[in-house]
Amino acid sequence: TWRSRRGRAAARRGRVAGMTDGWTPTRLDLSGEIRDGRHIQPVRIYYEDTDFSGIVYHANYLRFMERGRTNHLRLLGAAHRALFEEAGAEAPGFAFVVRSMQIEFLKPARMDDVLDVVTAPEEVKGASITLRQRVTCGGDTLVEGQVRVAFVSEGGARPIPKPLRDAMQADRDVIADGT
């Protein structure tokens, strides 16, 4: 059992009793991964994510998708805190803002499901990025969305920092090439 000596020892080593692959969670795992130009963020559904009928409340998908976008930026080397500190002097009061969003709810997720939030750049412009996002579970697409995010400072659109724009463009090119 979990409370057994073996279970406690496995937990101290970063493994759950009974697991044979020796997987150890790391902070990087919390940010998901970029694979084939797409960011993949796993999300487990908890009781707090569901409504009275046991399915995920629709607004929570927006939170999951925000996590996917944030961690996509983080893995591209643009952690929000560092980005805010760097850009603060160059573009005071800057922010990424959701300019527009289209979303389709296709199937429900339920408590204990493990979802993948897949984020991929679709269009990269000077001051905005359009991202295609999908929430899947076991190969089924549950939610599809398209999000346009703008970079603003001092009340107006500003160019996205070039390193970030280049990294997103590179991901988009990988997807377009099918590699």
Side-chain angles (χ1 to χ4, degrees), residues 90 159-168:
E90 192 177 313
I160 296 169
K162 187 170 176 12
L164 178 57
R165 203 170 53 242
D166 290 347
M168 288 214 150

Side-chain angles (χ1 to χ4, degrees), residues 107-149:
K107 294 181 181 179
R110 301 182 191 294
M111 189 168 29
D112 287 332
D113 284 350
V114 176
L115 311 180
D116 283 326
V117 179
V118 181
T119 304
E122 191 171 76
E123 184 176 44
V124 181
K125 292 184 174 180
S128 70
I129 300 168
T130 302
L131 300 160
R132 172 77 52 197
Q133 291 191 283
R134 246 177 341 140
V135 179
T136 65
C137 183
D140 290 334
T141 299
L142 308 181
V143 176
E144 290 182 320
Q146 183 183 45
V147 182
R148 189 168 69 160
V149 180

Side-chain angles (χ1 to χ4, degrees), residues 34-108:
I34 295 178
R35 192 180 328 139
D36 299 325
R38 294 170 179 83
H39 177 261
I40 301 166
Q41 174 71 54
V43 175
R44 179 174 301 280
I45 301 303
Y46 295 98
Y47 178 76
E48 67 188 21
D49 298 317
T50 63
D51 62 17
F52 70 93
S53 67
I55 63 171
V56 171
Y57 181 65
H58 72 280
N60 286 331
Y61 290 104
L62 300 178
R63 292 184 320 124
F64 305 153
M65 293 165 79
E66 175 68 29
R67 276 185 225 155
R69 292 191 303 274
T70 298
N71 285 325
H72 185 207
L73 288 174
R74 180 174 285 113
L75 290 182
L76 289 176
H80 273 116
R81 186 179 309 173
L83 189 59
F84 272 93
E85 290 169 0
E86 281 181 34
E90 192 177 313
F94 90 93
F96 282 105
V97 297
V98 172
R99 176 75 169 92
S100 64
M101 177 180 276
Q102 292 138 16
I103 190 163
E104 286 202 42
F105 301 96
L106 305 170
K107 294 181 181 179

